[in-house]
Amino acid sequence: MAFETIIVEIEDHVALIKLNRPDALNALNQQLIGEVMTALTEADANDKVRCIVLTGSEKAFAAGADIKEMSEMSFADVNLSDLFGNLGDGIQRIRKPIIAAVSGYALGGGCEVAMACDFIIASDTAKFGQPEINLGVIAGIGGSQRLTRAVGKAKSMDMNLTGRFMDAEEAERAGLVSRVVPAKKLMEESMAAAQKIAEKSLIAARTAKEAVNRSFETTLTEGLLFERRSFHALFATEDQKEGMAAFIEKREPQFRDK
Ligand code: HXC
């Protein structure tokens, strides 16, 4: 499918999805949301893809939902269309690992989309924020929930109530991002991380993602049981035999997703 607001490239088993509305700092309009969901769904179903990287431009990952598109909407418009609901839920349904490579602004819906990915690699220019309060609304796809789980109540309240931005260094300290890299190295480092994941057994990688995500949804006892059963289940795979044999034979494993 031909996209107009994103660019998709598949290289060495990694699908790179780049948000591409430079004139609007990658603001998330309905077309872009539809295209991102199509690209993610296609990547999830494509046997050649083993990991996904979602990124924006140097200046902005995404400056939020498109305010110009939203400004005249009524309660009925946003309620009946479940505005943006499909995006947050949709990203969460993707089973392959997704890395958000964030440079510049990741605000409002932009921050929320990044947080819906599995982890965030940030450039040292990244700025995260939930400034919806300045527009008379609040976060709508996870800014009050995923952010709180990531950075705790104090910082989440601060960001959601004052609308202030968090820079990359603070975001790393607070646990919102997994690493911070120089802006020039963002794509190199993010693609290298994706390549590393792409080398693993896809069955194991997807199971690891499911297990970590489960920790947000359940009690510790239930989560530990889920993890243990998942661990046991992986002994039914050829990839487990291959991974352990390769270690013993001091060679690189050749995973076949079986
Ligand atoms: C529509 C946007 C936009 C947005 C920027 N633009 N953000 N258009 N929606 N969210 C447009 C500007 O109108 C402008 O176009 C162009 O992008 C460049 O932006 P500038 O403001 O001129 O750039 P700069 O001065 O560098 O400031 C950058 C910025 C600022 C700090 C990121 O643009 C900003 O505050 N943007 C809004 C951030 C925000 O409030 N996000 C939350 C949105 S609500 P023109 O053509 O005018 O020059 C949200 C809700 C999510 O995300 C929940 C959904 C359920």
Side-chain angles (χ1 to χ4, degrees):
M1 174 176 164
F3 296 119
E4 291 173 350
T5 62
I6 62 172
I7 297 168
V8 181
E9 289 163 11
I10 297 175
E11 202 184 300
D12 292 339
H13 303 292
V14 176
L16 175 64
I17 302 174
K18 189 173 189 299
L19 308 184
N20 188 37
R21 291 187 71 211
D23 295 344
L25 302 184
N26 294 330
L28 311 169
N29 65 4
Q30 294 305 302
Q31 182 182 2
L32 181 141
I33 290 165
E35 291 186 0
V36 167
M37 278 322 306
T38 301
L40 285 172
T41 306
E42 284 178 2
D44 211 25
N46 184 340
D47 290 344
K48 294 196 177 73
V49 174
R50 306 171 67 82
C51 189
I52 301 165
V53 175
L54 185 61
T55 195
S57 68
E58 220 174 293
K59 178 157 185 197
F61 177 75
D66 191 314
I67 299 166
K68 292 167 190 167
E69 196 179 64
M70 280 187 302
S71 64
E72 295 302 321
M73 287 183 181
S74 66
F75 166 79
D77 292 334
V78 298
N79 182 274
L80 295 176
S81 68
D82 191 18
L83 190 69
F84 297 106
N86 55 344
L87 183 61
D89 297 350
I91 296 174
Q92 198 168 318
R93 271 198 299 276
I94 301 297
R95 296 195 62 200
K96 288 176 184 164
I98 313 176
I99 300 173
V102 173
S103 183
Y105 296 109
L107 305 177
C111 185
E112 294 170 303
V113 164
M115 290 190 293
C117 296
D118 296 315
F119 64 98
I120 301 172
I121 299 181
S123 92
D124 51 11
T125 64
K127 287 186 180 59
F128 299 88
Q130 299 295 157
E132 290 92 337
I133 193 87
N134 298 329
L135 303 169
V137 292
I138 69 164
I141 44 172
S144 69
Q145 303 299 305
R146 289 197 182 92
L147 184 66
T148 309
R149 283 166 162 79
V151 305
K153 177 181 167 185
K155 278 187 189 292
S156 178
M157 279 288 190
D158 185 355
M159 290 171 73
N160 275 287
L161 289 174
T162 68
R164 83 167 172 90
F165 301 164
M166 197 186 255
D167 66 19
E169 193 198 323
E170 184 181 3
E172 187 182 29
R173 228 183 316 126
L176 179 59
V177 310
S178 70
R179 17 179 152 162
V180 178
V181 301
K184 282 196 172 57
K185 295 228 155 192
L186 177 68
M187 291 322 297
E188 189 186 321
E189 295 265 351
S190 302
M191 293 305 279
Q195 294 293 351
K196 270 243 166 300
I197 295 169
E199 287 166 9
K200 316 294 182 206
S201 160
L202 185 57
I203 301 174
R206 290 197 340 182
T207 308
K209 167 171 169 156
E210 268 175 30
V212 174
N213 279 332
R214 188 55 69 102
S215 73
F216 292 103
E217 308 287 348
T218 190
T219 62
L220 180 60
T221 301
E222 288 300 318
L224 288 168
L225 183 62
F226 180 85
E227 179 192 79
R228 194 181 320 151
R229 293 289 176 247
S230 302
F231 172 73
H232 295 164
L234 290 171
F235 282 73
T237 65
E238 289 177 19
D239 285 347
Q240 173 265 330
K241 301 287 173 295
E242 167 62 11
M244 294 191 183
F247 174 81
I248 292 164
E249 292 160 17
K250 300 188 187 302
R251 60 174 175 81
E252 290 299 313
Q254 301 294 320
F255 293 120
R256 297 168 57 227
D257 303 334
K258 288 186 191 304

